Amino acid sequence: MISTHVLDTSKGIPADGIVVKLRRREGEAWKEIGRGVTSKDGRYAFDCEKKPGVYQLFFEIEEYLKQESRDFFFIRAPLVFKIEDVTRKYHVPLLLNPFGYTTYRGS
């Protein structure tokens, strides 16, 4: 139901080896419901329960950027979004560079 794709926009290639955590808000706390590592194609899909709520994709980007031997600013990228319609898929890409990132709801 929830998938992601990380693209290193400074190099124009997928970002592989990034740890991605999926969390769902339960009250005031976040519960981790999935964790994975992006593939050589920069992708990861979570096999999780289809449940409405507020979710967070949490990208651990520091190690990836360190491996590239580059200066960088951000070390983590948390994305918070809501899911109401559990009949559809949610694809949340991350476009990453050493000094910024952006995202959007994909299809």
Side-chain angles (χ1 to χ4, degrees), residues 24-74:
R24 185 175 51 238
R25 191 168 66 195
E26 294 188 1
E28 295 299 315
W30 290 102
K31 178 183 178 184
E32 187 170 304
I33 59 171
R35 172 188 296 238
V37 178
T38 57
S39 67
K40 293 242 184 250
D41 198 27
R43 297 179 183 274
Y44 189 80
F46 292 92
D47 182 20
C48 58
E49 177 185 13
K50 295 179 178 183
K51 186 174 180 181
V54 176
Y55 288 79
Q56 179 186 69
L57 278 173
F58 194 85
F59 298 85
E60 295 281 2
I61 58 177
E62 182 177 22
E63 290 305 314
Y64 171 80
L65 294 170
K66 277 184 183 177
Q67 288 176 2
E68 299 300 312
S69 300
R70 296 183 280 178
D71 189 18
F72 56 92
F73 184 69
F74 294 101

Side-chain angles (χ1 to χ4, degrees), residues 1-13:
M1 174 174 116
I2 300 172
S3 62
T4 190
H5 181 207
V6 183
L7 179 64
D8 185 333
T9 58
S10 67
K11 296 168 75 178
I13 61 171

Side-chain angles (χ1 to χ4, degrees), residues 25 28 42 44 54 67 72-73 75 81 83 85 90 96 99 107:
R25 191 168 66 195
E28 295 299 315
Y44 189 80
V54 176
Q67 288 176 2
F72 56 92
F73 184 69
I75 60 172
F81 55 96
I83 290 179
D85 180 0
Y90 291 86
L96 174 66
F99 297 99
S107 57

